[in-house]
Structures are given as structure tokens and as C-alpha cells.
């Protein structure tokens, strides 16, 4: 494959060794075989088979939304109204609404329905420079629907220029048919749903919702035992509404990430630091639920826990279809710096997906690049509702905009 040299770019490499954005002001980048083979100052650049002048554009790694639930049936606009009329998220969940109302609608949807309804949501992310997206199941809660959701998620990458990483979230809630039999449902997850998805290669990781309104720590441990026996990496929705110690349990088992973590305590922070578990902050859910307890950002920083940021795109607690807005909210609501927010949707997001081949602009990484009409990388977190994306290169190919 011929090589392409992109020159005259301001490159925010986001490499780990740099404590700023890893900026190369008059930079160039050589792309060969879908990968970055060289990056550095333009005057030292090797020659490529073709050369493109980027006209001083700002270049970052392609963005990674590492936590979404964007495949689902129906919608929950009515519950948004209920919440604003004084009914809490937990009350709605306990009365059979919430996640379970999406479960009903998702069970009624065909794979094609799920793909069709997910595409506009995915498109909203892609038009902001997302090149990799994680998508969870968890609105099926039976063997067939969990598999169907994951097949729909995988099918999306045949329809759009994006890499989809899938996560099995059968441990999201208890379905109505197991209302009085929690252990029976965990048995189903461990012995049937999870093996079925693993057998068909449908899941890249296993997640759960560890919460008073969902699974207990002990129940999650059973699911993680089954996941780890199948060789699948684990992650957890933890400490979102209360502190159950789920994040520490997941970290001690080597989890890739613990997500939400508003109620994380010092023990949880320590366990995550020791294990290298990434803290995934989801400010969209915090915002929509009117939460006031903020994640312990200062403690995470002090202990060196890597921080990622994601949309949590879902029909209930976070109908956020914008990774740039999630970055802005992480800054404004949680006090992240714009640099931390950008690390959170590039390098650290890649880490939560177990994908060391992306998230930085460096030799050997995938040539997934977002090009912006912005003067500096901090500007990506600064506005709300403004999109400065100019172009996207995925695996070395221009897939959006013009250079
Ligand atoms: N936490 C979340 O933010 C999503 N799932 C979870 O465990 C929300 C799920 C929903 O409300 O539909
Ligand atoms: Fe979530």
C-alpha cells in the first residue's frame, strides 16, 4: 500500500510520556498500511508516496467513546417527564419502569430494528470525530435478546466507518420472569447467556451494574467468576448511586475499568490504583439524574488512577449523544482539566477497551485521526453544542470531511 505524508499539521499526539498534549506545532505524520509509521516535526519528515498539506489543522487521535448503551428498543422520554414531575430514577426502576421498560421494547425489536434505530445515535458520535465506540448489551436479559443486541452492535461496523467493541451486560438488572429468584437469573447469566455470547465471539468484555437497585457485590462476583473462566476481561458500573464496594472488588480481580464511581471511597481508589483499573467518568448520567455527589477526582489524581470520560449514551440516565459535551461536562461538573478530558477520550479510553493500538499518535498505532478547526486542543472541551470537526481519518483512510 502506498504511504501518505500529512504535513503542516499541529499534532496533539497525547503520548503518555508528555505531560501536556504532546504537541508538535509544525508537525507531519507518515501513514503506511493503516498505521502511523512516523510522526515528528515537518522539517525532519521522511517522504511519502503522496503528500498532503493540512493547512495548519489541529490533529488529535480519533476519539473513543468507551462506555455506551446505544443499541436498544423504544425510548424513555416519558420517564424524563416523570422525573421532572418529582418521581426519582430509583422509584421508576422499582415500579417496573426504567431499565425494564427498555428491556420490554428491546425484546420486541428484531436485529434489523436495533441496527436501524441505533444508526442515527452512532452517527451523532461519529460526526464529532469518534472512530472507536464501545456498545453494551443489557436490555435483553434473556439469552436470545442479549445475543441479538450484540450482533446488532457488531453489525453497525459494517454500516459505518467505526470500530465497535462489544460488552456483555446481562448482569444489568433482574428480568420480570426472575423477580422472586435472583439466584436463578444469575445462574442463567453464568451458565447460558454468557457462554452463548462467548461461543459466538459476540462479547469483548463483561460488565455489570452493581447497585442497590441491581446486583449485589456477591452476585457480581459470581458473574465475574464465569466471565474470567471464559477468559473475558471484566469492568463494572460501580458506586453510581451508593457505595457498595463494587469498584474495589472489580479492581482486585484486575478489571479494565470501574465506571460512574461518584460514591467511590478511599479503599476503592486505592484498589483501583493498585490494579491499574481505569476510572470511567460519566458526567451525562450525573447531569441527567441531578446527582450532587461528585466522583473523587482529586483522590484519583493523587493515586495516579487513569481517568477516562464517556457519554454513557443510554435511553434512561444519559441520553447524551455527544462526546464533546461529555468532555465539557467532565470539566465543568467534575473539575477535570481540558487535557484530562482529552486523555479521557483517547489514551485512557483505549486502555479501558484493552486496545493499546490506538488513542495516541505514535509510530505503530492505528492511523485513526480527528482533524479540527481549532487553535488548541483545550478548545475541544470549551464550548457546549459547537462542533469544530473538520475531517476524520480511520485506519489511514479519509472517511469524513476534506483535507
Ligand atoms: N447505569 C447507567 O448509567 C445505565 N445502566 C447502568 O447500569 C443506565 C441504564 C438505564 O437507565 O437504561
Ligand atoms: Fe452505563
Amino acid at each position: 500500500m502506498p504511504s501518505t505524508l500529512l504535513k503542516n499539521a499541529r499534532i496533539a499526539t497525547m503520548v503518555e510520556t508528555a505531560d501536556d498534549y504532546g504537541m508538535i506545532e509544525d508537525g507531519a505524520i507518515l501513514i503506511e498500511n493503516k498505521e502511523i509509521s512516523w510522526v515528528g516535526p515537518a522539517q525532519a519528515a521522511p517522504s511519502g508516496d503522496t503528500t498532503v498539506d493540512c493547512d495548519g489543522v489541529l490533529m488529535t487521535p480519533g476519539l473513543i467513546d468507551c462506555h455506551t448503551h446505544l443499541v436498544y428498543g423504544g425510548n424513555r422520554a416519558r420517564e424524563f417527564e416523570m422525573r421532572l414531575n418529582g418521581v426519582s430514577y430509583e422509584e421508576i426502576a422499582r415500579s417496573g419502569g426504567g431499565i425494564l421498560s427498555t428491556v420490554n421494547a428491546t425484546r420486541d425489536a428484531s436485529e434489523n430494528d436495533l441496527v436501524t434505530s441505533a444508526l442515527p445515535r452512532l452517527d451523532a458520535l461519529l460526526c464529532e470525530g469518534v472512530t472507536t465506540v464501545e456498545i453494551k448489551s443489557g436490555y435483553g436479559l434473556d439469552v436470545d435478546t442479549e445475543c441479538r443486541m450484540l450482533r446488532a452492535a457488531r453489525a453497525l461496523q459494517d454500516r459505518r466507518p467505526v470500530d465497535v467493541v462489544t460488552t456483555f451486560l446481562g448482569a444489568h438488572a433482574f428480568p420480570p420472569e426472575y423477580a422472586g429468584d435472583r439466584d436463578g437469573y444469575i445462574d442463567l447469566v453464568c451458565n447460558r447467556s454468557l457462554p452463548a455470547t462467548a461461543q459466538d465471539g459476540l462479547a469483548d468484555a463483561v460488565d455489570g451494574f452493581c447497585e442497590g437497585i441491581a446486583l449485589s457485590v456477591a452476585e457480581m462476583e459470581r458473574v465475574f467468576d464465569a466471565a474470567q473462566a471464559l477468559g473475558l476481561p471484566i469492568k463494572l458500573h460501580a458506586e453510581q448511586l451508593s457505595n457498595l464496594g463494587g469498584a474495589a472488588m472489580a479492581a482486585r480481580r484486575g478489571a479494565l475499568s470501574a465506571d460512574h464511581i461518584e460514591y467511590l471511597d478511599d479503599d476503592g481508589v486505592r484498589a483501583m490504583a493498585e490494579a491499574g483499573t481505569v476510572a470511567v467518568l460519566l458526567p451525562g448520567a450525573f447531569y441527567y439524574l441531578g446527582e450532587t455527589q461528585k466522583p473523587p477526582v482529586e483522590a484519583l489524581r493523587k493515586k495516579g488512577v487513569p481517568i477516562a470520560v464517556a457519554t454513557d449514551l443510554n435511553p434512561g440516565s444519559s441520553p447524551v449523544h455527544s462526546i464533546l459535551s461529555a468532555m465539557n461536562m467532565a470539566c465543568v461538573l467534575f473539575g477535570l482539566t481540558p487535557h484530562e478530558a482529552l486523555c479521557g477520550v483517547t489514551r485512557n479510553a483505549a486502555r479501558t477497551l484493552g486496545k493499546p493500538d490506538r488513542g495516541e499518535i505514535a509510530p505503530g498505532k492505528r492511523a485513526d485521526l480527528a482533524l479540527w478547526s481549532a487553535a488548541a486542543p483545550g478548545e475541544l472541551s470549551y464550548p457546549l453544542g459547537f462542533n469544530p470537526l473538520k475531517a476524520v481519518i480511520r485506519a489511514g483512510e479519509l472517511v469524513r470531511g476534506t483535507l
Side-chain angles (χ1 to χ4, degrees):
M1 235 172 109
S3 63
T4 306
L5 183 74
L6 304 179
K7 60 168 205 184
N8 193 12
R10 285 167 308 121
I11 306 175
T13 62
M14 304 309 288
V15 291
E16 182 139 34
T17 45
D19 58 358
D20 56 3
Y21 295 90
M23 282 304 295
I24 305 172
E25 276 303 332
D26 181 12
I29 170 171
L30 186 69
I31 300 174
E32 271 176 296
N33 291 323
K34 306 182 180 187
E35 281 185 4
I36 298 162
S37 61
W38 186 91
V39 56
Q43 77 271 14
S47 55
D49 296 314
T50 51
T51 300
V52 179
D53 187 321
C54 293
D55 200 21
V57 78
L58 173 71
M59 192 182 280
T60 67
L63 304 189
I64 300 170
D65 192 348
C66 70
H67 180 141
T68 86
H69 310 246
L70 70 78
V71 168
Y72 61 83
N75 84 63
R76 306 241 293 277
R78 175 73 196 119
E79 289 178 14
F80 178 65
E81 295 216 48
M82 285 168 71
R83 288 209 304 277
L84 288 164
N85 281 288
V87 191
S88 78
Y89 182 70
E90 278 151 303
E91 279 166 334
I92 292 170
R94 288 190 200 283
S95 63
I99 292 172
L100 292 185
S101 82
T102 301
V103 169
N104 290 330
T106 304
R107 286 179 175 181
D108 285 342
S110 67
E111 182 181 326
N112 188 52
D113 293 338
L114 293 174
V115 170
T116 306
S117 62
L119 279 171
R121 299 172 200 138
L122 177 61
D123 285 339
L125 298 178
L126 299 191
C127 80
E128 291 185 345
V130 168
T131 50
T132 300
V133 63
E134 184 258 15
I135 304 177
K136 302 177 196 294
S137 66
Y139 291 123
L141 309 183
D142 61 30
V143 181
D144 285 355
T145 314
E146 287 294 307
C147 289
R148 192 161 73 252
M149 286 186 75
L150 293 172
R151 274 197 303 273
R154 288 251 196 261
L156 289 169
Q157 65 188 352
D158 304 328
R159 306 282 292 271
R160 292 294 186 270
V162 65
D163 282 18
V164 173
V165 178
T166 55
T167 302
F168 173 78
L169 180 58
H172 196 191
F174 291 92
E177 63 275 18
Y178 283 91
D181 182 14
R182 294 173 69 105
D183 282 343
Y185 182 62
I186 305 293
D187 288 341
L188 180 84
V189 167
C190 296
N191 302 330
R192 293 194 46 219
S193 314
L194 185 48
T197 55
Q199 190 189 336
D200 291 344
L202 289 173
D204 300 313
V206 174
D207 194 352
F209 186 20
C210 187
E211 192 53 66
I213 54 169
L215 280 82
S216 69
V217 174
E219 287 163 342
M220 266 325 303
E221 292 224 62
R222 288 190 55 204
V223 176
F224 284 164
D225 281 341
Q228 293 186 309
L230 291 166
L232 288 167
I234 59 166
K235 49 179 65 180
L236 191 62
H237 286 72
E239 274 68 81
Q240 181 187 3
L241 308 169
S242 60
N243 177 21
L244 300 185
M249 177 277 287
R252 288 184 186 117
R253 287 167 166 268
L256 290 169
S257 67
D259 303 34
H260 288 289
I261 59 166
E262 278 86 342
Y263 289 83
L264 188 71
D265 62 14
D266 285 347
D267 178 52
V269 174
R270 213 173 308 116
M272 289 177 68
E274 277 163 17
T277 296
V278 179
V280 179
L281 304 187
L282 304 168
F286 175 94
Y287 165 83
Y288 267 97
L289 298 180
E291 180 60 68
T292 53
Q293 172 81 26
K294 297 186 186 197
V297 168
E298 196 45 47
L300 295 169
R301 280 184 187 130
K302 269 210 187 99
K303 292 276 182 208
V305 177
I307 297 174
V309 173
T311 60
D312 196 18
L313 197 178
N314 77 65
S317 61
S318 187
V320 171
H321 297 65
S322 165
I323 191 79
L324 294 174
S325 302
M327 292 164 69
N328 172 270
M329 287 192 273
C331 293
V332 174
L333 299 175
F334 296 163
L336 257 57
T337 65
H339 175 251
E340 287 171 322
L342 189 56
C343 283
V345 298
T346 55
R347 187 172 78 224
N348 291 344
R351 188 164 161 172
T352 72
L353 302 180
K355 295 251 178 234
D357 64 338
R358 63 197 71 190
E360 294 176 35
I361 300 179
K365 304 282 179 185
R366 282 255 310 230
D368 288 352
L369 305 166
L371 281 60
W372 309 91
S373 303
E379 286 184 19
L380 300 184
S381 294
Y382 161 61
L384 192 56
F386 178 72
N387 180 4
L389 186 76
K390 189 165 181 285
V392 175
I393 293 171
R394 172 174 172 262
E397 234 184 275
L398 182 70
V399 293
R400 181 177 295 268
T402 48
L403 288 179

